PDB file of all heavy atoms in Angstrom:
ATOM      1  N   ALA A 262      18.883 -21.807 -17.377  1.00 61.00           N
ATOM      2  CA  ALA A 262      19.180 -20.410 -17.589  1.00 61.00           C
ATOM      3  C   ALA A 262      20.573 -20.073 -17.025  1.00 61.00           C
ATOM      4  O   ALA A 262      20.711 -19.701 -15.909  1.00 61.00           O
ATOM      5  CB  ALA A 262      18.128 -19.519 -16.942  1.00 61.00           C
ATOM      6  N   VAL A 263      21.593 -20.308 -17.904  1.00 62.00           N
ATOM      7  CA  VAL A 263      22.943 -20.106 -17.494  1.00 62.00           C
ATOM      8  C   VAL A 263      23.546 -18.979 -18.308  1.00 62.00           C
ATOM      9  O   VAL A 263      23.421 -19.032 -19.554  1.00 62.00           O
ATOM     10  CB  VAL A 263      23.802 -21.403 -17.665  1.00 62.00           C
ATOM     11  CG1 VAL A 263      25.258 -21.129 -17.309  1.00 62.00           C
ATOM     12  CG2 VAL A 263      23.240 -22.509 -16.824  1.00 62.00           C
ATOM     13  N   SER A 264      24.119 -17.997 -17.720  1.00 59.00           N
ATOM     14  CA  SER A 264      24.773 -16.885 -18.456  1.00 59.00           C
ATOM     15  C   SER A 264      26.028 -17.395 -19.115  1.00 59.00           C
ATOM     16  O   SER A 264      26.797 -18.100 -18.520  1.00 59.00           O
ATOM     17  CB  SER A 264      25.109 -15.743 -17.516  1.00 59.00           C
ATOM     18  OG  SER A 264      23.891 -15.161 -17.051  1.00 59.00           O
ATOM     19  N   THR A 265      26.188 -17.024 -20.363  1.00 62.00           N
ATOM     20  CA  THR A 265      27.453 -17.352 -21.056  1.00 62.00           C
ATOM     21  C   THR A 265      27.993 -16.051 -21.630  1.00 62.00           C
ATOM     22  O   THR A 265      27.258 -15.032 -21.676  1.00 62.00           O
ATOM     23  CB  THR A 265      27.210 -18.366 -22.214  1.00 62.00           C
ATOM     24  OG1 THR A 265      26.367 -17.715 -23.172  1.00 62.00           O
ATOM     25  CG2 THR A 265      26.561 -19.635 -21.693  1.00 62.00           C
ATOM     26  N   SER A 266      29.195 -16.102 -22.086  1.00 60.00           N
ATOM     27  CA  SER A 266      29.786 -14.897 -22.635  1.00 60.00           C
ATOM     28  C   SER A 266      29.045 -14.395 -23.874  1.00 60.00           C
ATOM     29  O   SER A 266      29.009 -13.246 -24.164  1.00 60.00           O
ATOM     30  CB  SER A 266      31.278 -15.090 -22.985  1.00 60.00           C
ATOM     31  OG  SER A 266      31.388 -16.132 -23.920  1.00 60.00           O
ATOM     32  N   SER A 267      28.376 -15.298 -24.586  1.00 59.00           N
ATOM     33  CA  SER A 267      27.611 -14.899 -25.746  1.00 59.00           C
ATOM     34  C   SER A 267      26.337 -14.163 -25.379  1.00 59.00           C
ATOM     35  O   SER A 267      25.716 -13.497 -26.210  1.00 59.00           O
ATOM     36  CB  SER A 267      27.280 -16.107 -26.627  1.00 59.00           C
ATOM     37  OG  SER A 267      26.375 -16.934 -25.929  1.00 59.00           O
ATOM     38  N   GLN A 268      25.916 -14.266 -24.113  1.00 61.00           N
ATOM     39  CA  GLN A 268      24.707 -13.564 -23.661  1.00 61.00           C
ATOM     40  C   GLN A 268      25.044 -12.195 -23.084  1.00 61.00           C
ATOM     41  O   GLN A 268      24.119 -11.446 -22.752  1.00 61.00           O
ATOM     42  CB  GLN A 268      23.968 -14.410 -22.626  1.00 61.00           C
ATOM     43  CG  GLN A 268      23.362 -15.657 -23.143  1.00 61.00           C
ATOM     44  CD  GLN A 268      22.786 -16.500 -22.077  1.00 61.00           C
ATOM     45  OE1 GLN A 268      23.288 -16.622 -20.985  1.00 61.00           O
ATOM     46  NE2 GLN A 268      21.636 -17.124 -22.381  1.00 61.00           N
ATOM     47  N   ILE A 269      26.285 -11.836 -22.980  1.00 69.00           N
ATOM     48  CA  ILE A 269      26.641 -10.529 -22.475  1.00 69.00           C
ATOM     49  C   ILE A 269      26.256  -9.483 -23.534  1.00 69.00           C
ATOM     50  O   ILE A 269      26.456  -9.676 -24.719  1.00 69.00           O
ATOM     51  CB  ILE A 269      28.147 -10.450 -22.214  1.00 69.00           C
ATOM     52  CG1 ILE A 269      28.513 -11.434 -21.071  1.00 69.00           C
ATOM     53  CG2 ILE A 269      28.573  -8.996 -21.861  1.00 69.00           C
ATOM     54  CD1 ILE A 269      30.000 -11.543 -20.814  1.00 69.00           C
ATOM     55  N   ARG A 270      25.604  -8.398 -23.068  1.00 71.00           N
ATOM     56  CA  ARG A 270      25.086  -7.396 -23.978  1.00 71.00           C
ATOM     57  C   ARG A 270      26.214  -6.835 -24.810  1.00 71.00           C
ATOM     58  O   ARG A 270      27.232  -6.400 -24.309  1.00 71.00           O
ATOM     59  CB  ARG A 270      24.421  -6.300 -23.186  1.00 71.00           C
ATOM     60  CG  ARG A 270      23.807  -5.220 -24.021  1.00 71.00           C
ATOM     61  CD  ARG A 270      23.246  -4.086 -23.206  1.00 71.00           C
ATOM     62  NE  ARG A 270      24.243  -3.297 -22.514  1.00 71.00           N
ATOM     63  CZ  ARG A 270      24.976  -2.318 -23.109  1.00 71.00           C
ATOM     64  NH1 ARG A 270      24.800  -2.038 -24.349  1.00 71.00           N
ATOM     65  NH2 ARG A 270      25.856  -1.661 -22.402  1.00 71.00           N
ATOM     66  N   ALA A 271      26.005  -6.847 -26.114  1.00 71.00           N
ATOM     67  CA  ALA A 271      26.984  -6.284 -27.030  1.00 71.00           C
ATOM     68  C   ALA A 271      26.837  -4.740 -26.977  1.00 71.00           C
ATOM     69  O   ALA A 271      25.715  -4.240 -26.810  1.00 71.00           O
ATOM     70  CB  ALA A 271      26.740  -6.768 -28.448  1.00 71.00           C
ATOM     71  N   PRO A 272      27.960  -4.053 -27.185  1.00 75.00           N
ATOM     72  CA  PRO A 272      27.904  -2.586 -27.150  1.00 75.00           C
ATOM     73  C   PRO A 272      26.969  -2.120 -28.333  1.00 75.00           C
ATOM     74  O   PRO A 272      26.962  -2.664 -29.381  1.00 75.00           O
ATOM     75  CB  PRO A 272      29.322  -2.125 -27.414  1.00 75.00           C
ATOM     76  CG  PRO A 272      30.164  -3.302 -27.133  1.00 75.00           C
ATOM     77  CD  PRO A 272      29.301  -4.509 -27.313  1.00 75.00           C
ATOM     78  N   LYS A 273      26.232  -1.060 -28.059  1.00 83.00           N
ATOM     79  CA  LYS A 273      25.386  -0.448 -29.096  1.00 83.00           C
ATOM     80  C   LYS A 273      26.260   0.351 -30.041  1.00 83.00           C
ATOM     81  O   LYS A 273      27.412   0.747 -29.647  1.00 83.00           O
ATOM     82  CB  LYS A 273      24.389   0.474 -28.418  1.00 83.00           C
ATOM     83  CG  LYS A 273      23.372  -0.249 -27.547  1.00 83.00           C
ATOM     84  CD  LYS A 273      22.382   0.621 -26.904  1.00 83.00           C
ATOM     85  CE  LYS A 273      21.432  -0.112 -26.027  1.00 83.00           C
ATOM     86  NZ  LYS A 273      20.499   0.725 -25.344  1.00 83.00           N
ATOM     87  N   PRO A 274      25.840   0.569 -31.229  1.00 86.00           N
ATOM     88  CA  PRO A 274      26.674   1.346 -32.222  1.00 86.00           C
ATOM     89  C   PRO A 274      27.092   2.709 -31.663  1.00 86.00           C
ATOM     90  O   PRO A 274      28.235   3.100 -31.924  1.00 86.00           O
ATOM     91  CB  PRO A 274      25.715   1.530 -33.415  1.00 86.00           C
ATOM     92  CG  PRO A 274      24.791   0.331 -33.354  1.00 86.00           C
ATOM     93  CD  PRO A 274      24.617   0.093 -31.833  1.00 86.00           C
ATOM     94  N   VAL A 275      26.255   3.395 -30.946  1.00 84.00           N
ATOM     95  CA  VAL A 275      26.627   4.677 -30.370  1.00 84.00           C
ATOM     96  C   VAL A 275      27.790   4.534 -29.350  1.00 84.00           C
ATOM     97  O   VAL A 275      28.690   5.369 -29.296  1.00 84.00           O
ATOM     98  CB  VAL A 275      25.443   5.471 -29.815  1.00 84.00           C
ATOM     99  CG1 VAL A 275      24.954   4.849 -28.538  1.00 84.00           C
ATOM    100  CG2 VAL A 275      25.778   6.912 -29.591  1.00 84.00           C
ATOM    101  N   GLU A 276      27.740   3.445 -28.597  1.00 86.00           N
ATOM    102  CA  GLU A 276      28.860   3.218 -27.631  1.00 86.00           C
ATOM    103  C   GLU A 276      30.144   2.994 -28.323  1.00 86.00           C
ATOM    104  O   GLU A 276      31.219   3.456 -27.924  1.00 86.00           O
ATOM    105  CB  GLU A 276      28.490   2.038 -26.711  1.00 86.00           C
ATOM    106  CG  GLU A 276      27.356   2.344 -25.765  1.00 86.00           C
ATOM    107  CD  GLU A 276      26.813   1.135 -25.043  1.00 86.00           C
ATOM    108  OE1 GLU A 276      26.886  -0.005 -25.638  1.00 86.00           O
ATOM    109  OE2 GLU A 276      26.321   1.269 -23.919  1.00 86.00           O
ATOM    110  N   ASN A 277      30.060   2.237 -29.454  1.00 87.00           N
ATOM    111  CA  ASN A 277      31.269   2.012 -30.238  1.00 87.00           C
ATOM    112  C   ASN A 277      31.802   3.288 -30.861  1.00 87.00           C
ATOM    113  O   ASN A 277      33.015   3.554 -30.873  1.00 87.00           O
ATOM    114  CB  ASN A 277      30.993   0.970 -31.363  1.00 87.00           C
ATOM    115  CG  ASN A 277      30.801  -0.417 -30.829  1.00 87.00           C
ATOM    116  OD1 ASN A 277      31.332  -0.804 -29.783  1.00 87.00           O
ATOM    117  ND2 ASN A 277      30.038  -1.248 -31.543  1.00 87.00           N
ATOM    118  N   ALA A 278      30.893   4.119 -31.356  1.00 89.00           N
ATOM    119  CA  ALA A 278      31.317   5.412 -31.937  1.00 89.00           C
ATOM    120  C   ALA A 278      31.936   6.321 -30.897  1.00 89.00           C
ATOM    121  O   ALA A 278      32.971   6.966 -31.216  1.00 89.00           O
ATOM    122  CB  ALA A 278      30.079   6.093 -32.584  1.00 89.00           C
ATOM    123  N   LEU A 279      31.401   6.366 -29.671  1.00 88.00           N
ATOM    124  CA  LEU A 279      31.984   7.153 -28.623  1.00 88.00           C
ATOM    125  C   LEU A 279      33.363   6.645 -28.204  1.00 88.00           C
ATOM    126  O   LEU A 279      34.274   7.426 -27.990  1.00 88.00           O
ATOM    127  CB  LEU A 279      31.089   7.230 -27.378  1.00 88.00           C
ATOM    128  CG  LEU A 279      29.806   8.057 -27.518  1.00 88.00           C
ATOM    129  CD1 LEU A 279      28.890   7.919 -26.371  1.00 88.00           C
ATOM    130  CD2 LEU A 279      30.169   9.516 -27.734  1.00 88.00           C
ATOM    131  N   ALA A 280      33.534   5.337 -28.156  1.00 89.00           N
ATOM    132  CA  ALA A 280      34.839   4.738 -27.807  1.00 89.00           C
ATOM    133  C   ALA A 280      35.824   5.088 -28.906  1.00 89.00           C
ATOM    134  O   ALA A 280      36.994   5.405 -28.582  1.00 89.00           O
ATOM    135  CB  ALA A 280      34.658   3.225 -27.681  1.00 89.00           C
ATOM    136  N   GLU A 281      35.440   5.051 -30.136  1.00 91.00           N
ATOM    137  CA  GLU A 281      36.352   5.386 -31.267  1.00 91.00           C
ATOM    138  C   GLU A 281      36.659   6.907 -31.218  1.00 91.00           C
ATOM    139  O   GLU A 281      37.850   7.257 -31.416  1.00 91.00           O
ATOM    140  CB  GLU A 281      35.620   5.037 -32.613  1.00 91.00           C
ATOM    141  CG  GLU A 281      36.615   5.138 -33.763  1.00 91.00           C
ATOM    142  CD  GLU A 281      37.773   4.150 -33.743  1.00 91.00           C
ATOM    143  OE1 GLU A 281      37.651   3.065 -33.139  1.00 91.00           O
ATOM    144  OE2 GLU A 281      38.782   4.478 -34.318  1.00 91.00           O
ATOM    145  N   LEU A 282      35.710   7.747 -30.921  1.00 92.00           N
ATOM    146  CA  LEU A 282      35.966   9.192 -30.805  1.00 92.00           C
ATOM    147  C   LEU A 282      36.984   9.419 -29.708  1.00 92.00           C
ATOM    148  O   LEU A 282      37.952  10.178 -29.865  1.00 92.00           O
ATOM    149  CB  LEU A 282      34.707   9.966 -30.518  1.00 92.00           C
ATOM    150  CG  LEU A 282      34.856  11.432 -30.237  1.00 92.00           C
ATOM    151  CD1 LEU A 282      35.433  12.165 -31.416  1.00 92.00           C
ATOM    152  CD2 LEU A 282      33.523  12.057 -29.828  1.00 92.00           C
ATOM    153  N   ARG A 283      36.761   8.799 -28.537  1.00 91.00           N
ATOM    154  CA  ARG A 283      37.680   9.005 -27.437  1.00 91.00           C
ATOM    155  C   ARG A 283      39.074   8.537 -27.824  1.00 91.00           C
ATOM    156  O   ARG A 283      40.082   9.239 -27.495  1.00 91.00           O
ATOM    157  CB  ARG A 283      37.192   8.200 -26.196  1.00 91.00           C
ATOM    158  CG  ARG A 283      38.162   8.211 -25.063  1.00 91.00           C
ATOM    159  CD  ARG A 283      37.790   7.338 -23.919  1.00 91.00           C
ATOM    160  NE  ARG A 283      38.212   7.978 -22.704  1.00 91.00           N
ATOM    161  CZ  ARG A 283      37.463   8.262 -21.686  1.00 91.00           C
ATOM    162  NH1 ARG A 283      36.205   7.866 -21.628  1.00 91.00           N
ATOM    163  NH2 ARG A 283      37.938   8.903 -20.665  1.00 91.00           N
ATOM    164  N   LYS A 284      39.208   7.398 -28.458  1.00 92.00           N
ATOM    165  CA  LYS A 284      40.475   6.847 -28.877  1.00 92.00           C
ATOM    166  C   LYS A 284      41.211   7.835 -29.781  1.00 92.00           C
ATOM    167  O   LYS A 284      42.396   8.131 -29.598  1.00 92.00           O
ATOM    168  CB  LYS A 284      40.302   5.488 -29.565  1.00 92.00           C
ATOM    169  CG  LYS A 284      41.511   4.882 -30.055  1.00 92.00           C
ATOM    170  CD  LYS A 284      41.151   3.515 -30.723  1.00 92.00           C
ATOM    171  CE  LYS A 284      42.288   2.969 -31.495  1.00 92.00           C
ATOM    172  NZ  LYS A 284      41.903   1.808 -32.276  1.00 92.00           N
ATOM    173  N   ASN A 285      40.457   8.401 -30.762  1.00 93.00           N
ATOM    174  CA  ASN A 285      41.080   9.367 -31.680  1.00 93.00           C
ATOM    175  C   ASN A 285      41.455  10.653 -31.006  1.00 93.00           C
ATOM    176  O   ASN A 285      42.535  11.204 -31.321  1.00 93.00           O
ATOM    177  CB  ASN A 285      40.085   9.639 -32.834  1.00 93.00           C
ATOM    178  CG  ASN A 285      39.992   8.514 -33.828  1.00 93.00           C
ATOM    179  OD1 ASN A 285      40.957   7.749 -33.966  1.00 93.00           O
ATOM    180  ND2 ASN A 285      38.885   8.346 -34.459  1.00 93.00           N
ATOM    181  N   VAL A 286      40.610  11.173 -30.139  1.00 93.00           N
ATOM    182  CA  VAL A 286      40.922  12.433 -29.434  1.00 93.00           C
ATOM    183  C   VAL A 286      42.175  12.250 -28.580  1.00 93.00           C
ATOM    184  O   VAL A 286      43.128  13.049 -28.656  1.00 93.00           O
ATOM    185  CB  VAL A 286      39.762  12.931 -28.580  1.00 93.00           C
ATOM    186  CG1 VAL A 286      40.161  13.992 -27.617  1.00 93.00           C
ATOM    187  CG2 VAL A 286      38.610  13.424 -29.506  1.00 93.00           C
ATOM    188  N   GLU A 287      42.201  11.151 -27.833  1.00 91.00           N
ATOM    189  CA  GLU A 287      43.359  10.934 -26.948  1.00 91.00           C
ATOM    190  C   GLU A 287      44.623  10.617 -27.679  1.00 91.00           C
ATOM    191  O   GLU A 287      45.685  10.956 -27.260  1.00 91.00           O
ATOM    192  CB  GLU A 287      42.987   9.800 -25.939  1.00 91.00           C
ATOM    193  CG  GLU A 287      41.966  10.241 -24.939  1.00 91.00           C
ATOM    194  CD  GLU A 287      41.506   9.184 -23.928  1.00 91.00           C
ATOM    195  OE1 GLU A 287      41.942   7.969 -24.112  1.00 91.00           O
ATOM    196  OE2 GLU A 287      40.802   9.512 -22.978  1.00 91.00           O
ATOM    197  N   ALA A 288      44.530   9.980 -28.868  1.00 93.00           N
ATOM    198  CA  ALA A 288      45.690   9.674 -29.661  1.00 93.00           C
ATOM    199  C   ALA A 288      46.252  10.863 -30.421  1.00 93.00           C
ATOM    200  O   ALA A 288      47.449  10.944 -30.680  1.00 93.00           O
ATOM    201  CB  ALA A 288      45.415   8.546 -30.607  1.00 93.00           C
ATOM    202  N   ASN A 289      45.414  11.808 -30.785  1.00 95.00           N
ATOM    203  CA  ASN A 289      45.782  12.900 -31.717  1.00 95.00           C
ATOM    204  C   ASN A 289      45.740  14.298 -31.097  1.00 95.00           C
ATOM    205  O   ASN A 289      45.851  15.283 -31.807  1.00 95.00           O
ATOM    206  CB  ASN A 289      44.893  12.859 -32.958  1.00 95.00           C
ATOM    207  CG  ASN A 289      45.031  11.553 -33.713  1.00 95.00           C
ATOM    208  OD1 ASN A 289      46.115  11.210 -34.063  1.00 95.00           O
ATOM    209  ND2 ASN A 289      43.930  10.879 -33.888  1.00 95.00           N
ATOM    210  N   SER A 290      45.537  14.350 -29.763  1.00 94.00           N
ATOM    211  CA  SER A 290      45.470  15.648 -29.110  1.00 94.00           C
ATOM    212  C   SER A 290      46.262  15.602 -27.804  1.00 94.00           C
ATOM    213  O   SER A 290      46.472  14.540 -27.274  1.00 94.00           O
ATOM    214  CB  SER A 290      44.020  16.013 -28.799  1.00 94.00           C
ATOM    215  OG  SER A 290      43.189  15.926 -29.920  1.00 94.00           O
TER     216      SER A 290
END
Side-chain angles (χ1 to χ4, degrees):
V263 177
S264 294
T265 66
S266 60
S267 66
Q268 292 174 321
I269 296 173
R270 183 184 67 82
K273 295 180 182 177
V275 71
E276 292 169 330
N277 289 333
L279 287 173
E281 189 64 27
L282 174 65
R283 174 186 215 127
K284 180 179 165 186
N285 286 331
V286 166
E287 291 178 350
N289 300 304
S290 306

